[in-house]
Amino acid sequence: MLNPLKNNLVIELHVPDLEVAKAFYGQLGFIISLEDLIDDKHLGYLTMTRKDELGQTMLNFYGGDDRVYQQSFFKQFPQDTKKGYALSITISVNNIEELYQSVRANLPENLVRELTELEDHGHKWKDFRMVDPFGFYLRFTELLDWGQEE
C-alpha cells in the first residue's frame, strides 16, 4: 500500500453559499471540522474534512453570501466567470468504487466522466470526474505514487 500524501497545500474555495457547500460535500463524505458563521461585518468560513485509510483531505470555504464577489482579487472578474477554470482539484480516496456508486445514485447531474480505469507511465488506477455546484472541477482517484519522498 502507498503511503498517505504529505502535503501542506491549503485549498480555499470562495463560494456564495456555505449551506450548498455543506450539503454537496457532505454527500461526498466530508464532515464539518470548523464553521465560523456569517454576520453583518464578516463573511463565513467553513472547513470540511474527509478521512479514510489513505489520510485526510481538507477543503476550506470562504464567503457565504454575495459579498464574496467583492474579495480584493476576485472582484475584478465578472460574477459569472467559470469557477476553477483550468484547475482540477484531485482527491485520492480509498474505496473509489463505493464513492462512485454513491455519486451515481445521489449526484448524477454532477458527473462529468464516469469511473474509468486508466494506465500511464507504468501506473494503473481508476478515477471519475465531477463538477460541484459552484463550477469547481473535482477528480476523485485511487492513490497514485506521485513521486513523493518519505
Side-chain angles (χ1 to χ4, degrees), residues 82-102:
K82 189 75 169 170
K83 305 296 180 249
Y85 175 77
L87 168 76
S88 173
I89 300 170
T90 301
I91 302 169
S92 298
V93 297
N94 186 42
N95 191 341
I96 193 139
E97 289 91 358
E98 184 178 316
L99 179 59
Y100 172 72
Q101 291 305 325
S102 176

Side-chain angles (χ1 to χ4, degrees), residues 40-104:
D40 292 340
K41 296 180 182 177
H42 302 96
L43 288 173
Y45 202 84
L46 172 68
T47 299
M48 296 188 76
T49 306
R50 185 181 195 284
K51 297 178 183 179
D52 65 18
E53 293 82 11
L54 297 179
Q56 172 176 288
T57 301
M58 182 172 54
L59 293 173
N60 300 286
F61 302 89
Y62 172 77
D65 65 29
D66 286 344
R67 291 178 293 168
V68 74
Y69 298 118
Q70 297 307 311
Q71 192 270 353
S72 60
F73 177 75
F74 299 118
K75 71 180 181 182
Q76 66 183 313
F77 303 102
Q79 288 184 16
D80 62 352
T81 300
K82 189 75 169 170
K83 305 296 180 249
Y85 175 77
L87 168 76
S88 173
I89 300 170
T90 301
I91 302 169
S92 298
V93 297
N94 186 42
N95 191 341
I96 193 139
E97 289 91 358
E98 184 178 316
L99 179 59
Y100 172 72
Q101 291 305 325
S102 176
V103 167
R104 267 197 94 193

Side-chain angles (χ1 to χ4, degrees), residues 1-148:
M1 180 166 131
L2 296 171
N3 292 324
L5 292 175
K6 295 176 179 127
N7 188 340
N8 291 329
L9 177 67
V10 175
I11 300 290
E12 185 177 79
L13 305 176
H14 291 236
V15 299
D17 193 329
L18 296 176
E19 294 302 317
V20 170
K22 286 191 280 190
F24 179 81
Y25 284 92
Q27 290 186 73
L28 298 173
F30 286 82
I31 60 169
I32 297 168
S33 48
L34 176 122
E35 184 173 15
D36 286 335
L37 300 177
I38 302 167
D39 62 34
D40 292 340
K41 296 180 182 177
H42 302 96
L43 288 173
Y45 202 84
L46 172 68
T47 299
M48 296 188 76
T49 306
R50 185 181 195 284
K51 297 178 183 179
D52 65 18
E53 293 82 11
L54 297 179
Q56 172 176 288
T57 301
M58 182 172 54
L59 293 173
N60 300 286
F61 302 89
Y62 172 77
D65 65 29
D66 286 344
R67 291 178 293 168
V68 74
Y69 298 118
Q70 297 307 311
Q71 192 270 353
S72 60
F73 177 75
F74 299 118
K75 71 180 181 182
Q76 66 183 313
F77 303 102
Q79 288 184 16
D80 62 352
T81 300
K82 189 75 169 170
K83 305 296 180 249
Y85 175 77
L87 168 76
S88 173
I89 300 170
T90 301
I91 302 169
S92 298
V93 297
N94 186 42
N95 191 341
I96 193 139
E97 289 91 358
E98 184 178 316
L99 179 59
Y100 172 72
Q101 291 305 325
S102 176
V103 167
R104 267 197 94 193
N106 300 307
L107 300 165
E109 65 279 3
N110 297 88
L111 275 172
V112 173
R113 187 172 86 187
E114 302 291 328
L115 184 66
T116 305
E117 188 166 331
L118 303 165
E119 183 174 356
D120 195 16
H121 301 290
H123 297 286
K124 287 185 181 182
W125 72 95
K126 294 178 186 173
D127 77 18
F128 66 92
R129 318 288 171 96
M130 58 190 308
V131 65
D132 83 356
F134 309 105
F136 292 105
Y137 184 65
L138 307 173
R139 174 185 177 209
F140 287 90
T141 183
E142 293 178 309
L143 183 63
L144 294 173
D145 180 358
W146 297 96
Q148 66 183 11

